[in-house]
Amino acid sequence: MIFVTVGTHEQPFDRLVKCIDDLKRDGIIQEDVTIQTGYSTYEPRYCTWQKLYPYQDMIRLVDEARIVISHGGPSSFIMPLQVGKTPIVVPRRYEFNEHVNDHQVSFAKEVAERMGTIIVVDDIDKLGETIVNYDKTIHSMGNSMQSNNSLFNKELEKIVNEMFEGRK
């Protein structure tokens, strides 16, 4: 199963929800897909979906999923990391009116570059290819990620602090 979450930000992320639904419709995604659509206006036709799931359901869905696909909000991609999964992260973009700026793009790229624990898909046209090659990509990352939340949080805090220091 693939679980997709767009978080709870009030702007729609129709671009991701529709892309996933199209990939399922076209048979590129073979397994079941569950999407938390948030405030998106597009309603999937080929995937199971719900606007918002209770937190305990989110934990269960992340745990059961083979692949977790998330927007670029840290709360959404940290949950799969905490259970030892490498999420695919598709940042929301300002140009598509998905967020107030492009901070998710720069943040996700920083986390991927510094920590190597997430797969960032900046070009949504490559999402299908990324899903199809997920296992191969994970293997090639050589990521011996352990359930080491303390170290992860410390490194994440450094990244966040450095990003905000440059804005003062």
Side-chain angles (χ1 to χ4, degrees), residues 64-158:
E64 291 174 1
R66 182 177 74 84
I67 298 175
V68 177
I69 301 171
S70 166
H71 72 128
S75 293
S76 292
F77 69 73
I78 285 175
M79 186 186 297
L81 289 170
Q82 289 175 326
V83 296
K85 295 187 180 183
T86 302
I88 296 173
V89 177
V90 181
R92 292 171 175 264
R93 299 187 65 113
Y94 174 76
E95 71 182 287
F96 300 113
N97 200 32
E98 297 163 348
H99 220 305
V100 298
N101 58 32
D102 279 334
H103 73 277
Q104 285 194 358
V105 176
S106 55
F107 185 73
K109 286 180 180 179
E110 280 288 319
V111 170
E113 183 180 312
R114 291 184 184 208
M115 302 184 77
T117 53
I118 65 175
I119 301 166
V120 177
V121 175
D122 197 29
D123 178 355
I124 205 155
D125 292 335
K126 296 186 178 175
L127 183 56
E129 176 184 332
T130 304
I131 293 167
V132 168
N133 294 317
Y134 180 80
D135 292 330
K136 183 178 176 183
T137 301
I138 296 301
H139 182 72
S140 71
M141 289 172 75
N143 187 353
S144 60
M145 191 171 105
Q146 303 161 6
S147 183
N148 192 341
N149 294 342
S150 176
L151 178 60
F152 175 81
N153 289 334
K154 190 181 294 183
E155 290 299 316
L156 184 61
E157 184 177 353
K158 281 186 205 174

Side-chain angles (χ1 to χ4, degrees), residues 18-30 46:
K18 184 174 183 334
C19 179
I20 293 291
D21 203 39
D22 290 348
L23 292 169
K24 179 66 176 164
R25 176 199 67 207
D26 297 344
I28 294 167
I29 296 175
Q30 298 286 316
Y46 305 95

Side-chain angles (χ1 to χ4, degrees), residues 1-7 16 20 31-37 48-50 52-54 57-70 76 79-80 85 87-88:
M1 186 261 293
I2 294 176
F3 177 60
V4 180
T5 178
V6 302
L16 176 57
I20 293 291
E31 56 203 295
D32 291 338
V33 178
T34 300
I35 307 173
Q36 176 264 320
T37 63
T48 302
W49 66 279
Q50 190 169 304
L52 299 169
Y53 286 94
D57 289 349
M58 292 282 289
I59 292 170
R60 179 184 52 77
L61 289 163
V62 166
D63 189 50
E64 291 174 1
R66 182 177 74 84
I67 298 175
V68 177
I69 301 171
S70 166
S76 292
M79 186 186 297
K85 295 187 180 183
I88 296 173

